[in-house]
Amino acid sequence: MPQLPKYTQTGQTITFAFPNHDLQLSVLTSAIIRVFENRGDSGQSYAIEGKKEQPTDFTLKDVGDHYELTTADLLVKVDSDQHVDIYDAAGNPLAVDYRGKRQLLDKGVDKVHERLVEAEGHSVSSSTTGADSSYFQVVKSLAADEHLYGLGDKTGYLDKRGFEYDNWNTDNPAPQMENFTKLYKSIPVMYGLKNGHPYGLFFDNPYKSHFDMGKESPNYYFYSAVDGNLDYYVLGGKTLKDVVSNYTYLTGRVPLPQKWTLGYQQSRWGYSASQQEVQEIADGLKKYDIPCDAIHFDVDYMRGYRVFTWDKDKYQGDPKKFVTSLKEQGIKAIPIIDPGVKKDPDYDVYADGIKKGYFVKSPDGKVYINKVWPGDSAFPDFGRPEVRQWWAHNDKFLTDIGVGGIWNDMNEPASFEGPIPDDVVFSDQDKPSTHKKMHNVYGHNMAKATYDGLKKYQDKRPYVITRAAYAGTQKYSTVWTGDNRSIWPHIQMMIPQLCNLGMSGFSFAGTDIGGFGSDTNAELLTRWIEAAVFSPLMRNHAAMGTRHQEPWSFGEPTLSIYRKFVKLRYRFIPYLYDLFEKGTKSGLPVMRPLVLNYDNDPRVRDLNDEFMVGDSVLVAPIVEKSKTKRLVYLPAGDWVDFWNNRQYTGNQDIVVNAPLDKLPLFIKKDAILPWGNPVDHISDEPDKTMTFKVFGDQGSYDHYQDDGTDFKYQDGEFNHYTLSVNAGQVSIQLPHHGFNPAYEKITVELPDKQVVLSYDAASNSYRE
Ligand code: MIG
């Protein structure tokens, strides 16, 4: 056994002098430790902004054959072979380096057979060919009882164990199934529940990377990257919630959205080719009594797919007039913006970008051109702060028209004429770098630029929706999961996908309701609107050329059921808004897997067809064709059936009938939920009244209210209400009253009675 390396300490960073590379451990907090090995890459993190290190007590001891670094939450052991082993404070192993040799999936095939197999269209797996030219890898032991979560938007199931994934933002229109290793986002955070003990690892490296989550072997999982530094953060905490909270402390939390963004949104690729069609959709929503807050404008509204243009010919010469009229009808316009700028010297955005040198270039110095929607296009160099500012400035074109937000697509970046070569010159802030390094943060930087533009020119909480993202993009943007299909496996996938996105920091996420590609059908659309009624982003969107899937497309009973659930959504918006507000402080997602709330319960560790909304609402949608009843697992505690108030004790499976118009929905006993007024659109006018439903005869609840649009809440312009119910007695306080008017009247619905309280200015509280 070689000798332990020498070390030096600077502040909370210990540097161990190993022969090849120094290894650094930095204590950021008692539950966040950075493991860093400089392998020559420079530059700053895109995921982490600002100083995250807090003064933290820790000790470092030489215990003979290894060092031990101890904080209040974590114990890290470093030995002379450069193993890094992580334990919790009680000494339970969390992430311990694997000592054995990797066991490749098979012994490989010879070159001749490999070519034949590939000629038939099969791909030979990377570990077989050795094509996985890993620059470094981190291999950690798997326990028999270990479950793995996170990784953002990947396909498949809640528990990632047994699968492999790549981080290389990719637009692949094929049906996304569990064998897909990559989608549009790269969010390299993973969580483990090892023998019931939670932890997380965040690998902050934007280069292409790979996670094998115990597919190759049940004995280990590994992470590898093709370049960059070894740079990962160990995340501890007593519960899985603590660990998620620590991850979002590090990479940032979803900011408070505008309230209307939680409303229903209607979209279809094709609507925006004519003002008349968009108006027909708005009329349909009104006629069929479907509450709605936004219509999305896909690529067709532009002039020849030129970003930051609006084809006036399609909008009676005046898009602003139409957007204003839509707003008066209660509906915001959300236009799409792609990164590709049409190569056209007569087009000002292109000409300006060329003049200023803002597009990425081939190594020979010429502007790099690939094809996207507008045909030959140039790609803004979003890694540069100056280019982001320029892009943000272009947003003014849209904010002047009066849009409600901006939808960013194709920002992986996608390209139609082959992939962008690795060596195309993209900037890393102000330094020339490569596509190889900047690919996975391209969408992140575009979303950040869009956020900055909206903030500057709208003075509202920016509403950005992006398809591509990196860890940390949640600070700037909502996400949707891209091009799913109208197939049952994709309504099923929605649950684990949104739950893992939530655990990966992306609380504000949604899927295309009804399915994007392929033709939907009445039953699928119905089940989808039910399953998505709590989806943080609630948007029906479909591809051009597919069967129409507006709520009224299938007649009855689809329309009535659809309406019932959209109306239910609006009742729940104050609860969702409260959860978003709480999430700005806790970093916990709105929509969550049961394991996040009940990490001690082995039954929920790979539960793919149920989820929770906050701590109080349990949803068990039907996600299979022709099914009208299902098993619902209720975790510990007592539960109330939302539809009939029947009570159940938890820790058991129950059989629930769910005919086509029913979503199995359970509320935790003694929970209190705010209950929004029935509205067609979320109004900018403050609510004068509010209702709370009590699912028991006791309980307490914290409720938040502000103007729902701008940043004044940051100067204290918000109200914080606390409700408590004891043996049927209601009391409501207003511990923070900074927004006016506070509710004039509050109705509290108990199981057997209704209590109405009015605001009393003298005591600044509510009285019967
Ligand atoms: O190449 O703008 O995921 O939502 O409707 C397709 C057209 C480009 C992909 C997006 C989808 C959008 C579509 N876009």
Side-chain angles (χ1 to χ4, degrees), residues 46 168 207 339 357-363 366-370 378-385 387 410-415 419-443 445:
Y46 283 90
W168 184 256
Y207 288 93
Y358 284 170
F359 298 121
V360 301
K361 296 189 177 72
S362 295
K366 290 198 190 108
V367 171
Y368 174 79
I369 300 290
N370 201 315
F379 296 83
D381 192 6
F382 288 124
R384 275 174 70 187
V387 177
M410 303 288 284
N411 51 356
E412 292 70 33
S415 50
I420 300 176
D422 273 0
D423 62 353
V424 170
V425 183
F426 283 57
S427 301
D428 180 0
Q429 305 298 348
D430 285 312
K431 278 193 312 236
S433 182
T434 55
H435 177 236
K436 184 184 181 189
K437 177 168 183 189
M438 300 305 291
H439 178 85
N440 282 339
V441 290
Y442 193 75
N445 285 322

Side-chain angles (χ1 to χ4, degrees), residues 318-366:
D318 195 351
K320 183 173 181 170
K321 195 169 160 208
F322 180 61
V323 168
T324 309
S325 128
L326 265 188
K327 220 186 291 172
E328 282 157 14
Q329 299 166 57
I331 290 175
K332 269 94 172 168
I334 315 291
I336 200 169
I337 288 286
D338 293 355
V341 175
K342 186 178 177 73
K343 182 181 173 190
D344 168 3
D346 296 329
Y347 159 42
D348 56 348
V349 179
Y350 176 77
D352 195 36
I354 289 288
K355 196 176 83 200
K356 294 177 168 142
Y358 284 170
F359 298 121
V360 301
K361 296 189 177 72
S362 295
D364 65 7
K366 290 198 190 108

Side-chain angles (χ1 to χ4, degrees), residues 171 184 268-269 298-299 336 338 373 407 409-410 416 467 480 482-483 512 516 539 541-544:
D171 172 27
Y184 309 91
R268 177 180 175 83
W269 176 12
D298 209 320
V299 284
I336 200 169
D338 293 355
W373 285 102
W407 166 25
D409 187 22
M410 303 288 284
F416 295 164
R467 191 169 72 174
W480 97 105
D483 298 348
D512 285 350
F516 176 76
R539 183 182 74 156
H541 179 54
M544 182 178 273

